[in-house]
């Protein structure tokens, strides 16, 4: 009986651990994509400003 309980608890903690890691990776990926998007937006803004300055 105790072995079954022990194994169940271990399996549950391991799945929780895996889910936590997966969640962390997902959040990290979202953060990176957001940063890339912001950098892309800034680059586009810079391009439009220089284009405006270069117009005669």
């Amino acid at each position: 009986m105790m072995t079954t309980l022990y194994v169940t608890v271990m399996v549950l903690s391991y799945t929780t651990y895996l889910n936590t890691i997966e969640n962390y990776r997902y959040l990290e990926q979202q953060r990176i994509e957001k940063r890339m998007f912001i950098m892309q937006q800034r680059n586009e803004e810079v391009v439009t400003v220089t284009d405006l300055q270069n117009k005669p």
Side-chain angles (χ1 to χ4, degrees):
M1 183 60 199
M2 286 303 288
T3 351
T4 324
L5 187 64
Y6 180 75
V7 167
T8 313
V9 165
M10 290 305 289
V11 166
L12 283 175
S13 5
Y14 187 64
T15 13
T16 310
Y17 170 73
L18 286 181
N19 281 335
T20 308
I21 287 183
E22 193 175 329
N23 195 19
Y24 175 77
R25 286 187 178 151
Y26 173 76
L27 289 175
E28 186 69 18
Q29 185 64 33
Q30 294 293 102
R31 205 168 60 86
I32 289 173
E33 287 176 6
K34 187 176 179 184
R35 186 189 298 156
M36 295 293 287
F37 179 73
I38 290 175
M39 288 175 68
Q40 185 181 359
Q41 294 289 98
R42 286 184 181 161
N43 281 343
E44 289 172 1
E45 287 173 7
V46 164
V47 162
T48 53
V49 166
T50 49
D51 283 353
L52 286 174
Q53 287 176 347
N54 288 338
K55 282 186 177 174

